[in-house]
Each structure stands twice: as structure tokens, then as C-alpha cells.
Amino acid sequence: SLVLKTFEGTAKLAQAHPNQTLGQLREDVTSGKGTTFAGLEALRKGRAPQILLKGLEAAFKRAAQLSKAFKTK
């Protein structure tokens, strides 16, 4: 699928350029006003970064709770 191929390409690009951040790589491949730019702008305006961060924080907190519960057994 397109989504899987996109993630695969991103991972390969990141591995090929370990000294660059993902942000730098994105800037390198994103043409101004192109399709990637339009998609990223829509995600940013829709507050996707904040929503993803909240999801990651919740998962991290739950992982800490589970880890603590397993340590006490």
C-alpha cells in the first residue's frame, strides 16, 4: 500500500543519512507547495502533532504503570 511504501522509504532514507534529523530530511524532500507540503500543512492545522504527542504520552504512562506492577510481583 502507499502508506507502507511511504514509511519504508522514510526508514531507508533515515538510515542512509544518520546525521540528519527527520525534520531535515523532510525539508530536503518536500517541495514548496507540493503534495507533501499540502498534506503536512493539513495535519499541522488539524493539530495532529499535539494529538500524536498526547497518544504517546498516554502509552508511556501506561507502560510505566505496567512495568511497576510487574516489578512488584
Side-chain angles (χ1 to χ4, degrees):
S1 83
L2 177 61
V3 173
L4 293 177
K5 291 293 184 185
T6 300
F7 279 105
E8 181 181 344
T10 301
K12 287 180 181 179
L13 187 63
Q15 288 174 333
H17 301 279
N19 295 326
Q20 286 187 281
T21 66
L22 290 178
Q24 291 168 328
L25 291 172
R26 185 206 35 86
E27 288 177 13
D28 289 348
V29 301
T30 303
S31 59
K33 307 301 179 188
T35 57
T36 302
F37 178 85
L40 291 171
E41 278 298 296
L43 290 171
R44 185 185 63 77
K45 288 178 181 176
R47 301 180 42 84
Q50 294 87 348
I51 292 167
L52 289 171
L53 184 58
K54 283 186 176 192
L56 289 171
E57 287 172 345
F60 180 81
K61 287 178 185 177
R62 183 63 181 143
Q65 291 170 345
L66 292 172
S67 177
K68 187 176 179 180
F70 283 117
K71 286 180 182 177
T72 59
K73 288 185 178 186

